[in-house]
Amino acid sequence: MNISAKTEYACVAMIELAALYDSGDPVRVRELAATHSIPAHFLTQILLQLKGAGMVQSTRGATGGYRLARDPSEISIYDIHRVIEGDSDQPCGALQKPTPAAAALKALCCEAATAQREILSAATLADMAEKAGSTVEDMFYI
């Protein structure tokens, strides 16, 4: 599975916002950008796109920033992917040559796309934030 840098940045930022959701405080774009090495201007565009979809809220001013608009358990990775990449619920294109072999390959690709969509739909921001937190906690430093 290939994901664009834009989708990766969106997911990473949203996972970070999910991890900080309980505090209720907005997170500044420059903090998110610096923490995850994302160009701040690009991240701002991404967050505005997510805001337009109702996934994040923004607060203006010196203490402003972004926070999730909904509980992290209500937002899936697939939801974010759809906002950033567009709604592409037609993963199976037309056959170039309508042969039995091509039809079999198309069926397999459709099956794979359906499985991918189901997996991404089942993965919520709450799940991902928990996994990201446990990964950091499990690291051992000398």
Side-chain angles (χ1 to χ4, degrees):
M1 174 183 154
N2 292 326
I3 61 169
S4 68
K6 188 175 182 181
T7 299
E8 179 183 345
Y9 292 160
C11 290
V12 166
M14 293 289 280
I15 292 167
E16 182 76 17
L17 292 177
L20 302 170
Y21 180 75
D22 288 335
S23 76
D25 296 328
V27 181
R28 293 183 178 152
V29 172
R30 69 180 147 188
E31 292 172 14
L32 279 172
T35 301
H36 299 286
S37 301
I38 302 170
H41 182 68
F42 192 37
L43 182 57
T44 300
Q45 292 174 350
I46 292 167
L47 289 169
L48 287 173
Q49 195 173 353
L50 293 166
K51 180 181 176 183
M55 291 189 178
V56 297
Q57 297 173 331
S58 64
T59 304
R60 297 173 82 164
T63 59
Y66 287 87
R67 64 180 171 270
L68 293 181
R70 301 190 318 250
D71 189 276
S73 64
E74 297 174 8
I75 302 172
S76 73
I77 298 299
Y78 185 68
D79 295 335
I80 299 165
H81 183 271
R82 275 196 356 242
V83 168
I84 300 301
E85 300 295 333
D87 197 7
S88 60
D89 278 342
Q90 294 181 330
C92 310
L95 294 173
Q96 297 298 318
K97 305 265 186 195
T99 64
L105 181 60
K106 179 181 177 180
L108 177 65
C109 291
C110 290
E111 203 175 312
T114 299
Q116 175 182 318
R117 187 171 43 252
E118 289 172 0
I119 291 168
L120 294 178
S121 293
T124 67
L125 288 177
D127 298 333
M128 298 305 295
E130 184 178 328
K131 286 180 182 180
S134 67
T135 302
V136 171
E137 293 168 5
D138 292 344
M139 293 184 85
F140 179 74
Y141 296 95
I142 297 177

